[in-house]
Amino acid sequence: MTDTTLAEPTTDWADPSRPVPDLRTELPGPLTREVVAGDQAITSPSLPRAYPFAPRRARGCRIEDVDGNLFLDFNAGIAVNSTGHAHPEVVRAVQEQAADLLHYSASDFFLPVYSQMCHALARTAPMSEPVRVFLTNSGAEAVEGALKLARYATKRPYVISFFGAFHGRTMGAVSLTSSKPKYHQGFGPLLPGVLHVPYADPAKVAAGEDASDTATFDALETIFRHDVAPSEVAAIFVEPIQGEGGYIVPGEGWMRRLRELCDEHGILLVADEVQCGMGRTGTMWAIEQTGVEPDVLLSAKGIASGLPLGAFIAKASLMESWGTGTHGSTYGGSPVPCAAGLATLRVIESEGLLEHARTVGDQVLAGLREIQAAHPEAVVDVRGVGLMIGVELADPALSAAVQQAAFERGLLVLEAGESVVRMSPPLVVTPEEAQTGLRIFGEAVAAAAGAASHGG
């Protein structure tokens, strides 16, 4: 990987010789407390907040808060800042595009950068036949678009998703989501025609059992026998690696069996790669590692290194089934996010970030397994692919305590599932930064486990 960050002029705060983490105040600091107070007085209380962190500026994997404390970022804004914070090439592309054209709707006019981004994504598509692309503002919008397309193209009313799945919070997307009851509570009735079945069992995968033989397919068989005929199912929405549900990696054969079932019944397979895509697993798309082709692929988060952009990529034969005006978006694929997206794809290729994600990901996985061996009573499982890594703790209280202890030591990580702490650093994370993160995380696990054993 080429370290272009060091070649660029830096300000004092981002001086590469400055240690990271570098905590200069108590946490949260006085200015952060002011930000939190002002935020809580005006923003929607629906916003979930992991810990009192108020970022001011960032570069690479380093992020400084408003009090001047420097943190090591191992969550990348929830797996969004794929090429690192403020990558020079992405920033340059944004500045140049903003100076030329901030917005013109690609829904009604022929915006050059829109089709350029679509062509660039199409070249990465894990499908062997031609594809077409629709750009959105977010992952949830990509899910909504794919849901509409699936029903429109198949003329079938039902869709299937998985327990533990997270597909977004808009009405259709949240109907597919099944990671926490609170996402549904109070919003019913949800979108009709959505069914859920169990995802791959991480315990079986960890035990080395045949992951293709899980409760997933028994549940699907039961649904098809007693509830809904498979000829009525338009699509199965699946995360090739489940994200918010706990960074669960299905075992060998699970995805292939799902593809075979879809083929048998004419059901579309929709791969939601909003979190696991864009190189995070060491291939551009996680599903590539299964040998399976989806009918539709969804992307967002890391697609534009931090700007709002999403997409659904579908086989051309499928996308061409709907006509003019059946779907559109005023802002989806706006010029500045598209410019950032094109730059992101260039950086991933030119800096060898796919191979880098595999190499550093292996380093992090190995280090975390050493932590697991040192604290077997606290760390139940370590799993992941590339730089999409989950650490399952003994219980939810312990995972929350580990997340907080890491924050207090200057490492930013996030919980997932019921008792998992996820690590999804920018793809540019260096081996040295990875080693620092492992050291701090080990300290956080030791502290949280020690406090738990003493009833703290």
Side-chain angles (χ1 to χ4, degrees):
M1 184 195 70
T2 303
D3 190 351
T4 57
T5 304
L6 300 184
E8 294 292 319
T10 60
T11 55
D12 289 342
W13 79 269
D15 186 332
S17 65
R18 181 181 177 186
V20 58
D22 182 18
L23 305 180
R24 299 181 175 182
T25 74
E26 75 278 17
L27 296 180
L31 294 179
T32 296
R33 293 196 295 271
E34 290 182 18
V35 170
V36 170
D39 182 288
Q40 292 179 337
I42 192 63
T43 63
S44 169
S46 65
L47 294 169
R49 300 307 181 34
Y51 31 73
F53 175 63
R56 179 187 179 193
R57 50 193 177 183
R59 188 76 51 81
C61 295
R62 299 166 169 230
I63 185 164
E64 188 186 56
D65 73 3
V66 294
D67 292 288
N69 298 302
L70 190 64
F71 293 80
L72 184 59
D73 186 4
F74 267 36
N75 71 54
I78 317 183
V80 167
N81 298 95
S82 51
T83 60
H85 296 282
H87 190 287
E89 186 165 343
V90 176
V91 170
R92 187 160 44 245
V94 167
Q95 290 171 333
E96 290 174 358
Q97 181 60 62
D100 287 341
L101 182 68
L102 281 173
H103 173 71
Y104 221 72
S105 177
S107 188
D108 292 276
F109 306 97
F110 294 95
L111 184 64
V113 72
Y114 184 102
S115 58
Q116 291 167 15
M117 185 65 197
C118 290
H119 277 293
L121 279 175
R123 286 192 289 271
T124 74
M127 293 91 139
S128 55
E129 65 180 74
V131 298
R132 287 183 177 268
V133 183
F134 187 101
L135 301 180
T136 68
N137 295 288
S138 67
E141 282 191 17
V143 171
E144 297 281 355
L147 181 58
K148 286 178 64 178
L149 177 61
R151 283 183 164 175
Y152 189 94
T154 65
K155 309 306 179 189
R156 298 178 177 188
Y158 292 96
V159 292
I160 294 173
S161 180
F162 293 89
F163 295 129
F166 185 90
H167 294 290
R169 292 184 174 92
T170 53
M171 206 62 181
V174 82
S175 300
L176 290 166
T177 291
S178 184
S179 55
K180 292 183 175 70
K182 68 180 179 182
Y183 295 142
H184 290 174
Q185 188 174 2
F187 299 113
L190 299 177
L191 190 72
V194 177
L195 306 167
H196 292 93
V197 296
Y199 194 72
D201 186 341
K204 287 189 176 182
V205 175
E209 298 181 29
D210 181 3
S212 68
D213 184 19
T214 68
T216 301
F217 301 99
D218 292 338
L220 285 167
E221 184 179 340
T222 299
I223 285 174
F224 294 159
R225 184 186 301 124
H226 297 291
D227 198 7
V228 171
S231 59
E232 289 275 272
V233 177
I236 294 177
F237 282 70
V238 61
E239 297 164 273
I241 297 176
Q242 205 168 69
E244 303 295 317
Y247 273 37
I248 299 171
V249 184
E252 184 80 19
W254 188 86
M255 190 65 70
R256 282 198 303 273
R257 189 172 175 187
L258 194 62
R259 174 75 269 182
E260 290 166 0
L261 181 142
C262 288
D263 289 341
E264 179 184 353
H265 298 294
I267 298 170
L268 300 178
L269 182 63
V270 181
D272 184 338
E273 297 233 11
V274 169
Q275 187 156 178
C276 63
M278 291 306 292
R280 178 144 300 281
T281 64
T283 50
M284 185 60 74
W285 309 109
I287 200 167
E288 293 178 67
Q289 300 180 36
T290 70
V292 166
E293 292 189 13
D295 297 295
V296 184
L297 183 138
L298 316 179
S299 181
K301 285 192 181 292
I303 195 173
S305 296
L307 272 74
L309 186 65
F312 56 100
I313 306 168
K315 292 179 177 178
S317 57
L318 181 62
M319 189 81 83
E320 289 165 3
S321 68
W322 61 7
T324 303
T326 49
H327 197 57
S329 173
T330 298
Y331 284 104
S334 196
V336 176
C338 279
L342 288 167
T344 296
L345 289 169
R346 289 195 299 269
V347 170
I348 288 174
E349 181 178 2
S350 66
E351 298 193 7
L353 295 185
L354 299 182
E355 181 180 359
H356 184 74
R358 294 192 295 270
T359 300
V360 181
D362 287 345
Q363 174 191 353
V364 175
L365 281 166
L368 289 171
R369 286 174 180 138
E370 290 179 4
I371 294 171
Q372 180 183 14
H375 301 281
E377 77 292 347
V379 180
V380 174
D381 189 25
V382 173
R383 54 181 178 256
V385 182
L387 288 171
M388 185 173 186
I389 298 170
V391 182
E392 186 168 349
L393 283 304
D395 57 62
L398 187 57
S399 65
V402 169
Q403 174 185 265
Q404 180 64 25
F407 167 66
E408 292 170 356
R409 289 161 173 78
L411 177 68
L412 304 181
V413 293
L414 279 175
E415 288 185 275
E418 294 183 358
S419 55
V420 173
V421 172
R422 71 184 116 170
M423 292 190 177
S424 57
L427 304 185
V428 297
V429 61
T430 66
E432 294 75 20
E433 289 169 332
Q435 201 57 41
T436 298
L438 286 167
R439 174 182 58 80
I440 298 171
F441 190 77
E443 294 170 359
V445 169
S453 66
H454 290 90

